[in-house]
């Protein structure tokens, strides 16, 4: 579980919720495009599966609304400092600090 969620204040990712009118399934798609029509995923599946865009918002706004329900603290970084620029280049502007220690040798692939 993530204790501290760190995100760039201008994080450029959008969260789209697509609804399949035939199967009643929902798909969540993340993209750098606000306009979903430009996405290859949408173009490949909209006609075959009757996908309809039911909701879209910036991912950062969705995180702001929901982070408390995960028990996390939210921190913003800016690209106007050397540390912030390094975080954005190194982690893509999104990262977290785990609540519990984690040993990589505990993972089986």
């Amino acid at each position: 579980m993530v204790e501290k969620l760190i995100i760039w204040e201008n994080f450029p990712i959008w969260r789209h919720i697509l609804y399949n009118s035939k199967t009643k399934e929902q798909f969540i798609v993340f993209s750098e495009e606000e306009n979903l029509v430009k996405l290859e995923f949408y173009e490949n599946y909209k006609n075959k599966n009757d996908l309809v865009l039911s909701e879209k918002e910036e991912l950062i706004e969705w995180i702001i609304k929901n982070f408390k329900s995960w028990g996390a603290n939210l921190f913003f970084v800016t690209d106007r400092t050397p540390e912030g620029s390094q975080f954005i280049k190194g982690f893509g502007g999104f990262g977290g600090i785990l609540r519990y220690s984690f040993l990589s040798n505990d993972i089986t692939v």
Side-chain angles (χ1 to χ4, degrees), residues 1-6 66-73 94-103:
M1 190 185 275
V2 175
E3 181 176 358
K4 296 177 183 177
L5 187 59
I6 307 164
N66 293 284
F67 78 94
K68 289 182 182 178
S69 67
W70 310 324
N73 294 311
F94 193 80
I97 298 173
L98 298 177
R99 185 174 311 246
Y100 307 105
S101 63
F102 173 79
L103 301 173

Side-chain angles (χ1 to χ4, degrees), residues 19-55:
Y19 176 74
N20 184 321
S21 57
K22 287 183 181 177
T23 65
K24 310 295 187 222
E25 291 179 288
Q26 284 190 349
F27 300 93
I28 299 174
V29 179
F30 300 96
S31 75
E32 292 182 10
E33 295 289 339
E34 177 182 359
N35 187 351
L36 191 62
V37 176
K38 294 180 182 178
L39 291 176
E40 186 176 325
F41 173 87
Y42 186 67
E43 286 301 314
N44 289 341
Y45 294 99
K46 73 175 181 178
N47 295 331
K48 296 177 190 172
N49 296 320
D50 296 326
L51 291 180
V52 177
L53 178 64
S54 65
E55 185 180 326

